[in-house]
Amino acid sequence: MAKFNKDSVGGTLLVVVLVSFICSIIVAGAAVGLKSTQDEQKLLDKQKNILSVTGLLPEKAKGAEIKKIYADNIEPKVVDLATGEYVEVANFDAKAFAKDPAQNVLINAEDDKAGIKARAKYAEVYLVKDAEGKVSQLVLPMYGNGLWSVMYGFVAVEPDLNTVKGITYYEQGETAGLGGEIANPNWQRHFVGKKLYNDQDQLAIRIGKGASADKDHGIDGLSGATLTTNGVQGSFDYWFGKNGFGPYFAKLKAAEAK
């Protein structure tokens, strides 16, 4: 039998292949083993952001406390954006559905204010219940393109479906110190109390230079971050318009009128 020569070219290559193979098994095993933990952390982060925008998140709240507050106060629902009806959708994932031709809606360029090209047919919304079980807030997902990234956030709205209770951006890649300030709570506070629509039920919220002159609907944009600011405006224009949550709001208002 030929003696294995680990110092030969062939021997070196064999060692490299074996080491690579073993490392790939370890990495794959770790990924599989940690997946449940990673999924749980993603869910916890999502719940934390939803509670944050509603004002229900206590300072320094930890995992178990966050889960309990969420379970006690938040009821998630999936909405068909075309009809405004609640629907049952198994394993709904907005990002995955937006990429699936069988589950998405392509957006006409003239309607694509958020610059996202396609969206899922459905959206997950979150009903915030008070101690008596009545809806005290509604939390809605919103996203759109900024300068460098897709900016994902939540908007909390009062039961009048018009007054903003709060906003948060939880995932974005805008320029730190400029567009990245959309994640700054100090800027986000300017949205609280603003109205989405005017007396004619037309979308009226405005984000931009000097917009705060309109006390009811205006929020000044971020200094030095015009394109990011435009992206925030575009996100509101799309998601709170007729192609976003418009039919859902109409359905809720009709039910309230009855």
Side-chain angles (χ1 to χ4, degrees):
M1 177 183 289
K3 184 179 180 180
F4 172 68
N5 183 2
K6 65 180 181 180
D7 295 324
S8 67
V9 173
T12 300
L13 289 175
L14 181 59
V15 170
V16 169
V17 170
L18 289 173
V19 170
S20 299
F21 179 69
I22 293 171
C23 288
S24 66
I25 292 176
I26 294 173
V27 171
V32 172
L34 293 173
K35 187 178 187 307
S36 60
T37 301
Q38 292 170 339
D39 290 344
E40 184 177 349
Q41 186 59 50
K42 286 181 180 178
L43 178 59
L44 182 63
D45 286 343
K46 177 181 176 181
Q47 294 175 347
K48 181 178 179 180
N49 282 300
I50 291 170
L51 291 176
S52 175
V53 79
T54 64
L56 295 175
L57 182 68
E59 188 176 353
K60 298 181 180 179
K62 300 297 183 180
E65 184 180 6
I66 291 171
K67 291 178 182 178
K68 185 178 188 310
I69 296 172
Y70 182 91
D72 290 345
N73 295 276
I74 309 296
E75 181 183 1
K77 293 272 194 179
V78 177
V79 175
D80 184 327
L81 292 173
T83 65
E85 299 277 1
Y86 292 126
V87 292
E88 296 291 334
V89 180
N91 302 315
F92 176 67
D93 182 327
K95 289 185 179 180
F97 276 42
K99 297 176 181 178
D100 183 352
Q103 300 289 354
N104 71 10
V105 171
L106 299 179
I107 305 170
N108 294 326
E110 60 270 23
D111 296 327
D112 192 11
K113 309 298 185 183
I116 55 178
K117 297 183 180 179
R119 63 157 172 79
K121 294 178 181 178
Y122 316 105
E124 189 170 48
V125 301
Y126 309 90
L127 281 58
V128 185
K129 304 293 187 68
D130 61 19
E132 298 177 351
K134 296 180 180 179
V135 176
S136 61
Q137 296 180 51
L138 189 62
V139 178
L140 305 162
M142 177 185 74
Y143 67 95
N145 270 299
L147 174 59
W148 303 113
S149 66
V150 179
M151 308 176 296
Y152 293 90
F154 290 115
V155 180
V157 181
E158 300 277 10
D160 64 2
L161 302 178
N162 193 19
T163 306
V164 177
K165 176 73 173 179
I167 76 163
T168 187
Y169 275 99
Y170 60 89
E171 183 181 333
Q172 52 85 26
E174 300 300 281
T175 306
L178 295 172
E181 288 297 293
I182 60 170
N184 188 330
N186 291 327
W187 185 69
Q188 295 171 359
R189 287 190 191 99
H190 294 299
F191 286 80
V192 178
K194 298 298 182 180
K195 306 293 184 181
L196 294 168
Y197 307 97
N198 61 22
D199 293 339
Q200 290 73 47
D201 208 27
Q202 298 169 327
L203 189 66
I205 191 166
R206 290 292 173 263
I207 306 102
K209 185 177 180 180
S212 63
D214 182 343
K215 301 299 183 183
D216 291 330
H217 308 103
I219 302 97
D220 284 340
L222 295 166
S223 179
T226 300
L227 293 180
T228 300
T229 298
N230 291 346
V232 175
Q233 179 70 66
S235 296
F236 272 94
D237 288 345
Y238 182 78
W239 289 103
F240 291 95
K242 63 180 181 179
N243 297 303
F245 292 112
Y248 176 50
F249 277 19
K251 183 72 66 173
L252 292 177
K253 290 176 181 178
E256 181 68 22
K258 292 179 181 180

